[in-house]
């Protein structure tokens, strides 16, 4: 009985610790120990961590737009971006707009931007295919989404958003072991990606692998805490 209670205690500690860091650790490299208003967008399924770029590093993005994103005002940033003609927005800015539409559940708007980019003759890269996949997945076009995610990975094997998308598809198809492999690839690319630990723990729990749940959450807590300390030292 004591052993069971101790295990539950450790599990609870791991869960609390992991979730406490969940909004801040992914921004630790930039602002250690502080949650930022844009953390949710940054670390979300459609955030810029998943798509491999940081909006503040895009020198062509208007400062007022960057400021709105940093303040967590996605709707305000989108409104400003929409006021700019598509031809006046660089590739990354257009991708950021698509990501924002996905975050706001404006799927038709996201698709329209991608269609316009295709019509302008844009050369598809891994991010473009992954965004196309995310739009199709949001419209429950699972087969097309899977093909597009796989196309993205052919171009860039480190396309984190593609692994996240394929994991989501696998979960929806009840292919939990496949989903676990994809989430593990996410962690291999970014050990600070909190949501991957949480999803792996949820899958393990669904599979009734309670010791594995504890192991995953403890590993996540220790990894994130360790990386956070390293970031503070830097």
């Amino acid at each position: 009985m004591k052993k069971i209670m101790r295990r539950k205690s450790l599990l609870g500690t791991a869960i609390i610790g992991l979730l406490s860091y969940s909004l801040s650790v992914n921004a630790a490299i930039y602002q250690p120990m502080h949650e930022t208003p844009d953390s949710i967008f940054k670390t979300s399924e459609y955030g810029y961590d998943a798509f491999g770029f940081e909006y503040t590093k895009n020198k062509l993005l208007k400062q007022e737009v960057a400021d709105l994103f940093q303040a967590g005002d996605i709707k305000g940033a989108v409104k400003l971006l929409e006021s700019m003609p598509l031809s006046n927005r660089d590739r990354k800015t257009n991708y950021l707009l698509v990501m924002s539409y996905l975050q706001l559940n404006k799927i038709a708007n996201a698709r329209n931007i991608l269609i316009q980019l295709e019509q302008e003759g844009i050369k598809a890269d891994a991010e473009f295919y992954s965004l196309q996949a995310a739009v199709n997945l949001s419209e429950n076009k699972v087969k097309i989404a899977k093909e597009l995610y796989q196309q993205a990975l052919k171009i860039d094997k480190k396309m984190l958003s593609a692994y996240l998308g394929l994991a989501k598809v696998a979960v929806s198809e009840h292919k939990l072991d496949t989903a676990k492999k994809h989430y593990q690839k996410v962690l291999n690319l970014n050990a600070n990606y909190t949501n991957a630990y949480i999803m792996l723990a949820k899958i393990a729990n669904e599979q009734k692998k309670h010791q594995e749940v504890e192991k995953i959450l403890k590993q996540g807590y220790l990894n994130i805490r360790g990386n956070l300390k390293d970031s503070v030292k830097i």
Side-chain angles (χ1 to χ4, degrees), residues 32 38 41 58 71 83 189 202 212:
D38 65 339
F41 183 44
N58 183 1
S83 69
L189 293 170
K202 285 182 177 180
E212 190 173 325

Side-chain angles (χ1 to χ4, degrees), residues 2 11 13 20 23 42 45 52 56-57 122 135 161-162 169 173 194 213 224 232:
K2 288 183 178 179
L11 179 57
T13 300
S20 295
L23 292 179
K42 177 178 172 62
E45 179 184 354
T56 56
K57 292 181 181 178
I122 189 174
V135 169
S161 61
V169 168
E173 295 176 337
T194 314
V213 173
I224 290 167
V232 172

Side-chain angles (χ1 to χ4, degrees), residues 23-230:
L23 292 179
S24 60
V25 292
N26 288 288
I29 294 174
Y30 307 104
Q31 292 182 302
M33 298 297 289
H34 295 285
E35 179 182 336
T36 58
D38 65 339
S39 292
I40 293 176
F41 183 44
K42 177 178 172 62
T43 61
S44 77
E45 179 184 354
Y46 307 121
Y48 44 83
D49 269 0
F51 285 89
F53 66 92
E54 165 67 72
Y55 66 82
T56 56
K57 292 181 181 178
N58 183 1
K59 295 178 181 179
L60 297 177
L61 187 66
K62 286 186 176 180
Q63 186 58 48
E64 56 187 328
V65 179
D67 289 344
L68 285 169
F69 274 116
Q70 200 154 14
D73 186 1
I74 300 175
K75 290 182 179 179
V78 165
K79 189 174 180 179
L80 273 178
L81 288 174
E82 288 174 334
S83 69
M84 301 165 56
L86 182 138
S87 57
N88 288 357
R89 300 191 299 257
D90 70 301
R91 178 191 292 255
K92 294 291 187 183
T93 302
N94 279 309
Y95 287 173
L96 184 59
L97 182 55
V98 173
M99 290 156 54
S100 302
Y101 281 140
L102 287 168
Q103 186 74 15
L104 296 171
N105 201 32
K106 294 186 175 183
I107 311 305
N109 298 60
R111 179 175 286 283
N112 286 338
I113 295 294
L114 294 175
I115 290 172
Q116 290 176 54
L117 290 173
E118 279 189 306
Q119 290 173 343
E120 292 210 351
I122 189 174
K123 184 178 179 181
D125 55 13
E127 290 155 324
F128 185 85
Y129 283 124
S130 198
L131 286 168
Q132 277 190 320
V135 169
N136 278 279
L137 189 56
S138 297
E139 296 173 334
N140 293 316
K141 298 175 183 176
V142 177
K143 184 179 179 181
I144 297 174
K146 286 171 71 173
E147 291 173 354
L148 288 166
Y149 280 132
Q150 288 161 357
Q151 187 65 35
L153 289 172
K154 285 181 181 178
I155 298 173
D156 183 359
K157 294 185 183 298
K158 295 183 179 180
M159 194 74 239
L160 191 146
S161 61
Y163 291 118
L164 286 171
L166 288 172
K168 186 176 181 180
V169 168
V171 169
S172 70
E173 295 176 337
H174 304 290
K175 297 177 180 177
L176 300 185
D177 287 333
T178 300
K180 285 164 67 174
K181 289 178 182 178
H182 290 310
Y183 282 124
Q184 191 55 58
K185 286 179 179 177
V186 169
L187 292 177
N188 291 343
L189 293 170
N190 183 353
N192 280 356
Y193 206 88
T194 314
N195 289 343
Y197 291 110
I198 294 172
M199 287 306 301
L200 282 170
K202 285 182 177 180
I203 291 169
N205 188 58
E206 190 170 335
Q207 293 178 323
K208 309 297 182 185
K209 298 179 179 179
H210 301 301
Q211 288 185 336
E212 190 173 325
V213 173
E214 178 183 338
K215 181 180 177 182
I216 291 165
L217 291 173
K218 284 173 65 178
Q219 178 189 3
Y221 174 73
L222 292 172
N223 283 350
I224 290 167
R225 184 181 64 177
N227 289 334
L228 188 61
K229 286 181 178 178
D230 288 342

